[in-house]
Amino acid sequence: MDYKKQSARDLGVKSLYKYRGFEPDNTEYIEPIFKKNEIYFPFPSELNDPFECQFQLSVGDLNDLEYKARHRHRAYELQKHLSPKVTVEEYFKFYSTIPFEGHLARTESIRDKTYQIINAKWGIYSLSSDPLSALMWAHYANNHRGFCIEFSTDNDYFGRAWEVDYVRKIKFLDILDDINESSLFNALLTKTGEWSYESEYRLFSNAMDEVEGLPTQSRPKVSNFPVKALKSIIFGARMSKHDIDIVCGWLDEEHKHIKLKQVSLIGDGSLAIKEI
């Protein structure tokens, strides 16, 4: 599978942005971004969308002769691996007694077990291609009291973030479809249209280091990024000078290249960014 397909760098996206809320007494997950060059990769089940990285399996019409034949062929493939061994005839006899509800329950079990594998394998760091989204500033940066971090994509670390595909409904896969690495990876990059305002790109870290070329984890769910990839910090329009000073206090010599900016509110309801 081509894991570079639809990457930010391939699509010409020069920067990606991470919105962060800010509470002076709770900086556990944001201070290490600057002091240790660390970012946190939560598992899918830890994200705020309960449909995150989900997919659905369905069973077709078992009365359709062609579909039934495909189903029997799949049963034959399963039968070959059964232990203790049973004959094809014995297995087909048993298989023909399973009602539709039984097949459906099996698909739900397969779906749930597959999700458990996905959830234990992939860490996700969500980024946006839009630093001027009023909704993002409201929802993810504490109503402009937080800040936004700009990362460059001219490196292998952030350049390999992939664009999220927004769909009307979560896709159904038939139980007879080939559920492979590609279809599962697509599930990681699919969200419903209600979230399209996020303009999201996803950076993945493989918790088991099974996929070459992705950010490696220095400890569980944590990965170190190249400090030169950090381009700027954009402070929210309502972020106090006191809180801005706290964030700036985390910067040292290796951060001299970082530009400091702040959002300004335009009278027509739009946003702008200026250096400070």
Side-chain angles (χ1 to χ4, degrees), residues 69-134:
R70 290 177 59 209
H71 222 270
R72 284 174 64 86
H73 179 74
R74 177 60 61 88
Y76 173 69
E77 293 300 317
L78 292 173
Q79 174 271 338
K80 292 191 294 185
H81 303 288
L82 289 179
S83 180
K85 187 74 173 177
V86 298
T87 66
V88 175
E89 291 76 13
E90 288 174 329
Y91 189 70
F92 279 170
K93 184 177 180 180
F94 157 75
Y95 192 78
S96 64
T97 65
I98 302 175
F100 176 82
E101 292 74 15
H103 289 295
L104 190 60
R106 179 173 170 272
T107 67
E108 292 173 349
S109 175
I110 292 173
R111 177 201 63 199
D112 293 344
K113 288 178 181 178
T114 304
Y115 178 76
Q116 290 173 10
I117 294 171
I118 291 174
N119 191 55
K121 182 175 181 177
W122 293 104
I124 297 175
Y125 193 66
S126 298
L127 298 150
S128 175
S129 61
D130 184 4
L132 291 172
S133 168

Side-chain angles (χ1 to χ4, degrees), residues 178-243:
D178 185 17
I179 304 172
N180 53 31
E181 192 75 13
S182 178
S183 58
L184 295 180
F185 191 71
N186 286 336
L188 294 170
L189 288 169
T190 302
K191 298 190 73 170
T192 53
E194 290 89 344
W195 300 92
S196 62
Y197 72 91
E198 295 181 340
S199 301
E200 186 176 353
Y201 282 73
R202 294 195 154 172
L203 186 64
F204 295 112
S205 180
N206 182 255
M208 303 171 187
D209 286 335
E210 296 173 329
V211 181
E212 188 176 348
L214 296 182
T216 57
Q217 297 189 4
S218 55
R219 53 192 174 88
K221 302 183 185 179
V222 172
S223 178
N224 295 93
F225 65 89
V227 66
K228 290 296 183 182
L230 208 167
K231 293 175 68 175
S232 74
I233 305 172
I234 307 167
F235 300 107
R238 293 173 173 169
M239 194 169 186
S240 69
K241 184 179 183 307
H242 173 267
D243 290 349

